[in-house]
Amino acid sequence: MKVFVSWFIIQCLILGAVISPASAQNNQHNLRFLHHANAVLSDADAETIAASATSVLATDSGEHDVPCPVTINKIGPVNSFPNTDGVIDNAMEFFLVQQVSGHVKVVRAINWCEKTGAAYLGCASMPGNSLAMVRFSPDQDGILMAHEFGHNQGLDHRLGEFNLMDKSIGPTRVGINHQECDAFKGDAGGEGHAESPVAGAVAEPETDTMTLIKTHYFHGFPVAEGKNIPKEDAAMIIELLHDEGEKQWWPNALAALGLMNSEQSFQAITDFMEQATSDDFKDPLVFRALATAPIALGYYVNVSQDQQALNYMVNAATPERMTKNTEFRNMLAIDNTDTSALAGSFVAGLSLAVTEGDGALDALQNIRLEVQPDQFPIFDQLDQSKIEYERVKELGLEAYRSRNDDN
């Protein structure tokens, strides 16, 4: 997923930052890799991701692809950055991660990229010189990095089941065309000239529920499709949430439960969170699912208007509230960073929880009175969530989530 540079430039001008697309010499891109202090990325991991991304671009995978002579090099040691909680929940947190010196930033979870949503894999300014990504599958980390780097180089999404710049990621979605190759090389005139998708030009095939859930999406789990999942499929989705072998799909399963508005949705999502222990936070895949669950609850409140679910979210929207909440007793041993990260995701989820009485908006305003302006990042999270709430209320959930998706 990408964040258009128009918004980004405004923020950078405020802080005096200069943003420009990554440039290449002899088709070589030398990039620094970093990771959040609680995310996992070794020097060997970064070398592998860079080599994999190079292979994705340079290899001719068939009629839907052209070989692109571009090399991505990892330079310098992999360092960590501690200046966020490791979860991108809003525009300001994305900006703070982008401002860390370096190019490729591995974070713990992403719940915002132009808009709040569930199960993002990456986010990059377009054009720009920095990207954020999660690690979700070792054999596809290089594909993810290449896709987000494409946004840095000015490329939009281009729909197609074999295309690297498609909205979904998979081992066979690695194809690029000549114009995209020019952009990856940094050639003058290549940037921004890839064929942009035309609304309705590519028909998305109807998919069954498990296929929908077992697909990774660069830009987050699709809202319209999730709302159309038959309610009778809730049982098999909940069963998947109990299968340790399926945990890479847990974020999508939680998002689906929130959107489908089943009578079992609220209980299943909250059970998933409440049964988690402090040890679960050490597993990157499980943590990403836990950070997605509050977003799923925001979806659920939006589609169900369930006051009980809204109250549950409000009671977990600050670290102090979370530690007093007996439902989270299994997680009370987690460190302050984890508590703050999860509370921040609840705040982000409240931006989606639009109800007729605007209960979530009132709660965000009331919580803001509890905290001091110097209590970063809570104060900023609340302000950012109110902004997103107003957008969701104005557009409706589906229109909010779909805006710019065809760009």
Side-chain angles (χ1 to χ4, degrees):
M1 189 61 183
K2 73 283 184 186
V3 172
F4 288 103
V5 77
S6 55
W7 171 87
F8 201 59
I9 286 176
I10 293 172
Q11 301 295 328
C12 293
L13 288 174
I14 294 172
L15 298 183
V18 177
I19 299 300
S20 60
S23 59
Q25 300 224 349
N26 299 321
N27 297 339
Q28 302 269 331
H29 292 281
N30 297 320
L31 308 180
R32 293 189 179 277
F33 286 69
L34 302 95
H35 66 95
H36 182 265
N38 289 345
V40 178
L41 183 74
S42 67
D43 282 283
D45 293 334
E47 294 277 6
T48 299
I49 292 171
S52 176
T54 296
S55 177
V56 166
L57 297 176
T59 302
D60 184 351
S61 62
E63 63 177 315
H64 302 280
D65 192 21
V66 298
C68 190
V70 169
T71 301
I72 295 175
N73 300 310
K74 170 256 180 190
I75 61 170
V78 172
N79 295 317
S80 65
F81 59 93
N83 65 326
T84 71
D85 59 24
V87 181
I88 297 176
D89 283 314
N90 54 59
M92 182 55 68
E93 290 179 343
F94 172 73
F95 179 64
L96 290 174
V97 170
Q98 297 298 77
Q99 286 303 292
V100 176
S101 179
H103 194 285
V104 181
K105 289 73 178 273
V106 173
V107 296
R108 306 177 78 188
I110 301 174
N111 291 330
W112 183 96
C113 189
E114 286 195 311
K115 52 210 170 188
T116 306
Y120 284 100
L121 296 178
C123 190
S125 51
M126 188 184 86
N129 63 359
S130 184
L131 64 89
M133 59 178 280
V134 301
R135 298 191 64 202
F136 73 102
S137 178
D139 64 339
Q140 295 184 61
D141 286 346
I143 301 174
L144 171 57
M145 190 246 140
H147 175 100
E148 296 302 330
F149 185 62
H151 288 319
N152 277 172
Q153 296 299 98
L155 294 176
D156 262 333
H157 289 138
R158 182 167 63 90
L159 300 185
E161 61 178 323
F162 299 105
N163 295 345
L164 174 65
M165 299 309 296
D166 187 64
K167 297 176 187 177
S168 303
I169 185 172
T172 62
R173 295 178 190 265
V174 294
I176 63 174
N177 60 31
H178 289 288
Q179 291 174 311
E180 288 167 337
C181 180
D182 287 344
F184 277 111
K185 290 190 292 186
D187 290 350
E191 182 182 307
H193 284 263
E195 297 95 347
S196 296
V198 177
V202 179
E204 295 288 343
E206 291 187 9
T207 56
D208 63 81
T209 297
M210 279 297 110
T211 300
L212 183 67
I213 289 175
K214 292 188 176 183
T215 300
H216 287 296
Y217 306 92
F218 291 109
H219 58 105
F221 190 77
V223 164
E225 291 86 339
K227 290 177 71 173
N228 287 327
I229 294 175
K231 289 180 173 58
E232 56 266 27
D233 288 351
M236 68 177 180
I237 298 174
I238 294 169
E239 184 179 350
L240 183 148
L241 281 176
H242 291 90
D243 187 343
E244 287 280 335
E246 302 282 11
K247 59 187 175 182
Q248 68 168 307
W249 309 114
W250 287 355
N252 286 355
L254 290 162
L257 285 169
L259 290 164
M260 66 191 295
N261 192 18
S262 163
E263 292 181 357
Q264 303 174 69
S265 294
F266 175 60
Q267 191 67 50
I269 296 169
T270 54
D271 282 350
F272 179 84
M273 299 193 73
E274 293 168 15
Q275 292 167 9
T277 67
S278 57
D279 287 340
D280 289 322
F281 281 73
K282 301 173 184 177
D283 185 323
L285 292 178
V286 179
F287 176 85
R288 182 168 169 255
L290 288 168
T292 300
I295 307 300
L297 283 177
Y299 284 154
Y300 176 71
V301 172
N302 188 295
V303 299
S304 70
Q305 303 289 291
D306 188 316
Q307 187 64 42
Q308 180 187 5
L310 176 58
N311 292 340
Y312 185 98
M313 298 180 70
V314 171
N315 288 333
T318 69
E320 292 75 19
R321 288 180 175 221
M322 181 167 288
T323 54
K324 292 176 183 178
N325 196 329
T326 58
E327 283 87 349
F328 297 111
R329 58 188 176 275
N330 288 337
M331 293 189 289
L332 291 182
I334 63 178
D335 65 31
N336 290 335
T337 301
D338 289 333
T339 307
S340 176
L342 201 56
S345 295
F346 271 108
V347 172
L350 284 171
S351 71
L352 302 169
V354 175
T355 59
E356 289 187 6
D358 288 329
L361 185 61
D362 291 342
L364 290 168
Q365 293 169 338
N366 291 333
I367 294 169
R368 195 175 187 274
L369 299 176
E370 297 178 12
V371 300
Q372 299 301 315
D374 61 350
Q375 286 185 268
F376 179 82
I378 303 171
F379 201 80
D380 289 314
Q381 288 172 338
L382 293 166
D383 285 346
Q384 294 286 317
S385 190
K386 287 193 293 183
I387 292 171
E388 297 301 325
Y389 182 97
E390 295 290 0
R391 291 173 178 166
V392 177
K393 181 179 179 179
E394 176 187 2
L395 297 172
L397 183 59
E398 285 189 47
Y400 167 80
R401 282 291 297 140
S402 65
R403 80 187 200 278
N404 292 330
D405 271 358
D406 288 326
N407 290 328

